[in-house]
Amino acid sequence: MNLQIARGVFLLASLALATVAVAAWDEPQAGVLRAEAGQGLCPFPRVQKSDTDPVIQPGHNMLLLMFGLTQGLRSGA
């Protein structure tokens, strides 16, 4: 009798887990981008870039890391 009870509890638990998984399943649906307020353009963030942005130079540590990663990929093949 205990084995039948255990099977029943296992069956109920698995059905409950499957129900929760189906309820939590969320896939984004295909959608069309629409213009806001009739602008006719896709919305972009309202962040303005200044003309005096500093030029970003890679640091020596980053170059060393990239060189080490490429050498590691070559030796692993």
Side-chain angles (χ1 to χ4, degrees):
M1 190 69 162
N2 288 338
L3 183 60
Q4 292 175 349
I5 293 172
R7 285 181 182 169
V9 168
F10 179 73
L11 178 65
L12 288 176
S14 62
L15 288 175
L17 181 66
T19 304
V20 169
V22 167
W25 186 270
D26 182 26
E27 283 190 23
Q29 297 180 359
V32 177
L33 292 176
R34 285 184 257 157
E36 290 182 359
Q39 294 174 344
L41 300 173
C42 292
F44 286 109
R46 300 203 182 263
V47 176
Q48 296 289 335
K49 289 188 174 182
S50 65
D51 294 335
T52 60
D53 285 338
V55 178
I56 298 173
Q57 297 291 330
H60 295 292
N61 291 335
M62 184 59 74
L63 292 174
L64 186 60
L65 173 70
M66 295 299 291
F67 179 73
L69 289 174
T70 56
Q71 293 300 316
L73 287 175
R74 288 183 191 165
S75 66

